[in-house]
């Protein structure tokens, strides 16, 4: 190679929970680590629901999505990995010495011994409302995610959609909105049963099977009422609104990574119990993977991250320990504990 590239032990592609925890654990294993995220911010899919309360991460009491992101980023930076934002990795080239060159869509190159794919479902795009002219309201009161609940306090809110996020947003907004209407094109909701029951038992008006037919604006800049139609009969109603929230799901795009030769289906890559892909030196973790004991929770993502990184460590150093010492016995934390004012008992 003529250009001056710095060689890393591990390059993690993806800056969601899987990638962030992998970066932390890679530091525990004393590996030179780089994390590359296609977006301009870290957090992955959690960025879509920063105000959603997350209950199922071990050892954490209910935590807002944005707070969990903050904590994951802080933890990921413990051992000072190199973090690169805004680069979408597209190509993978094996070098004669077995190392790998990764190239971004804009031409930046990254040199590494191993790769850990923590790309979730690829580049996420919110499914937009398929109504002509709807996009002009995105700068005013048409929303595709709920960033701050307070924005909707005292307002007449309409939510279109029936998945987890739509139901969660309905339950979070119902106590603070002046009124809340949920419109869904099917009678069945995709959210967790307990949350759906809570929504239906609240003061929220739930209309099924209906869809948003058209948006209306007296001033041309903000939606003031919405026409909805019954999916079966076509019967229409008009609803006065101050804000419209659309949750019609996500579109996933893996881009050129699907051309790398990975053993994968439409949405996941098949990996071994050690989180190895079929490409030597390439491992994977998180929502992107499928294996016999896969747990599709954030908590399961952390286990994937550990197993993928341990496999990368042994790939680089075959004689290395299979796992890292736990933090209470890991020498890398001694100075960090002192900085936190922790006095350790070394008598054991």
């Amino acid at each position: 190679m003529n250009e001056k590239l710095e060689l890393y032990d591990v390059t993690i592609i993806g800056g969601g929970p899987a990638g962030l925890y992998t970066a932390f654990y890679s530091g525990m294993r004393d590996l030179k680590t780089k994390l590359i995220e296609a977006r301009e911010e870290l957090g992955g899919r959690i960025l879509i629901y920063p105000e959603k309360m997350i209950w199922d991460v071990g050892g954490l009491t209910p935590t807002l999505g944005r707070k969990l992101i903050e904590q994951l980023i802080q933890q990921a930076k413990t051992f000072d990995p190199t973090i690169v934002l805004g680069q979408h990795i597209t190509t993978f080239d094996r070098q004669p010495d077995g190392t790998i060159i990764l190239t971004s869509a804009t031409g930046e190159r990254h040199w590494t011994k191993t790769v850990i794919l923590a790309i979730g479902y690829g580049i996420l795009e919110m499914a937009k409302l398929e109504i002509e002219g709807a996009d002009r309201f995105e700068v005013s009161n048409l929303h595709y995610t709920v960033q701050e609940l307070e924005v909707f306090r005292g307002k007449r809110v309409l939510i279109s959609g029936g998945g987890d996020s739509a139901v969660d947003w309905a339950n979070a907004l119902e106590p603070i909105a002046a009124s809340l209407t949920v419109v869904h094109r099917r009678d069945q909701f995709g959210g967790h049963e307990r949350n759906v029951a809570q929504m239906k038992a609240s003061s929220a008006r739930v209309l099924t099977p209906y869809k948003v037919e058209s948006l209306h604006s007296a001033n041309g800049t903000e939606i003031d009422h919405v026409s909805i139609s019954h999916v079966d009969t076509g019967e229409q109603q008009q609803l006065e609104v101050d804000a419209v929230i659309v949750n019609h799901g996500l579109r996933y795009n893996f881009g050129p990574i699907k051309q790398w030769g990975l053993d994968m289906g439409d949405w996941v890559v098949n990996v071994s119990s050690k989180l190895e892909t079929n490409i030597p030196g390439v491992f994977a973790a998180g929502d992107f993977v499928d294996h016999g004991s896969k747990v599709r929770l954030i908590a399961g993502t952390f286990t994937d991250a550990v197993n993928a990184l341990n496999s990368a460590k042994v790939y680089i150093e075959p004689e290395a320990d299979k796992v890292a010492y736990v933090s209470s016995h890991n020498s890398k934390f001694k100075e960090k504990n002192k900085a936190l004012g922790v006095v350790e008992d070394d008598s054991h």
Side-chain angles (χ1 to χ4, degrees):
M1 290 176 296
N2 295 325
E3 61 185 311
K4 194 76 170 178
L5 291 179
E6 193 173 354
L7 179 61
Y8 283 79
D9 294 318
V10 174
T11 297
I12 303 156
I13 303 177
L20 291 168
Y21 194 75
T22 304
F24 165 72
Y25 192 76
S26 186
M28 284 183 66
R29 302 236 54 186
D30 204 26
L31 294 172
K32 186 174 181 179
T33 307
K34 178 183 284 187
L35 185 151
I36 304 173
E37 165 57 41
R39 300 180 63 159
E40 293 292 345
E41 57 186 330
L42 298 168
R45 191 173 178 178
I46 302 178
L47 291 169
I48 297 168
Y49 44 87
E51 292 290 335
K52 183 176 179 179
M53 196 66 75
I54 297 172
W55 290 74
D56 54 5
V57 177
L60 281 184
T61 53
T63 304
L64 285 173
R66 57 177 168 78
K67 183 63 177 178
L68 180 59
I69 291 172
E70 291 171 9
Q71 293 173 176
L72 283 166
I73 292 172
Q74 182 180 353
Q75 184 183 49
K77 292 180 176 179
T78 300
F79 300 105
D80 301 314
T82 297
I83 296 176
V84 178
L85 300 177
Q87 289 192 27
H88 180 201
I89 297 301
T90 57
T91 62
F92 169 102
D93 293 299
R94 180 83 64 186
Q95 303 305 296
D97 62 358
T99 59
I100 297 161
I101 295 287
L102 301 170
T103 306
S104 75
T106 46
E108 295 88 354
R109 284 154 60 91
H110 305 272
W111 189 22
T112 187
K113 296 177 184 177
T114 63
V115 175
I116 296 180
L117 297 171
I119 60 175
Y121 296 107
I123 304 296
L124 297 178
E125 299 173 352
M126 302 297 294
K128 297 295 186 76
L129 190 62
E130 295 181 353
I131 293 176
E132 186 177 353
D135 56 341
R136 75 179 188 271
F137 299 115
E138 292 178 17
V139 297
S140 56
N141 60 344
L142 174 60
H143 308 267
Y144 288 99
T145 185
V146 175
Q147 297 290 332
E148 296 181 37
L149 293 175
E150 284 300 313
V151 170
F152 303 94
R153 182 174 291 277
K155 294 186 176 180
R156 298 165 298 179
V157 180
L158 181 144
I159 297 176
S160 176
D164 276 331
S165 293
V167 173
D168 289 343
W169 291 338
N171 288 330
L173 291 170
E174 185 271 336
I176 66 172
S179 66
L180 179 70
T181 302
V182 179
V183 174
H184 184 37
R185 60 185 304 120
R186 290 183 290 276
D187 292 323
Q188 298 301 315
F189 285 82
H192 294 297
E193 291 179 2
R194 184 184 184 90
N195 296 339
V196 172
Q198 177 186 341
M199 177 185 69
K200 290 183 175 179
S202 74
S203 66
R205 185 184 182 195
V206 178
L207 299 176
T208 62
Y210 277 87
K211 64 179 181 178
V212 174
E213 193 69 41
S214 56
L215 308 175
H216 308 278
S217 172
N219 61 17
T221 59
E222 292 186 334
I223 305 164
D224 51 50
H225 64 284
V226 173
S227 295
I228 64 171
S229 63
H230 193 281
V231 171
D232 297 326
T233 67
E235 174 194 0
Q236 292 201 7
Q237 296 185 38
Q238 288 200 356
L239 305 173
E240 294 184 347
V241 299
D242 299 307
V244 176
I245 302 170
V246 175
N247 178 241
H248 291 176
L250 297 167
R251 294 193 177 103
Y252 307 120
N253 179 16
F254 292 111
I257 284 179
K258 290 202 77 170
Q259 312 306 317
W260 287 11
L262 292 162
D263 175 18
M264 63 180 296
D266 290 336
W267 307 115
V268 292
V269 64
N270 297 310
V271 294
S272 72
S273 60
K274 296 179 181 179
L275 281 294
E276 304 157 310
T277 72
N278 60 305
I279 300 177
V282 179
F283 309 88
D287 286 336
F288 184 50
V289 308
D290 191 33
H291 54 82
S293 55
K294 175 64 183 171
V295 176
R296 295 203 172 275
L297 296 172
I298 293 175
T301 282
F302 300 150
T303 301
D304 285 348
V306 169
N307 286 329
L309 196 284
N310 283 333
S311 293
K313 175 74 173 184
V314 175
Y315 179 87
I316 297 167
E317 304 172 27
E319 302 306 316
D321 291 332
K322 298 294 189 290
V323 298
Y325 287 112
V326 296
S327 61
S328 58
H329 293 83
N330 193 314
S331 62
K332 294 183 73 67
F333 291 99
K334 286 189 178 294
E335 292 303 316
K336 295 184 180 296
N337 287 340
K338 288 178 183 178
L340 293 172
V342 177
V343 178
E344 295 183 315
D345 181 1
D346 294 326
S347 62
H348 299 290

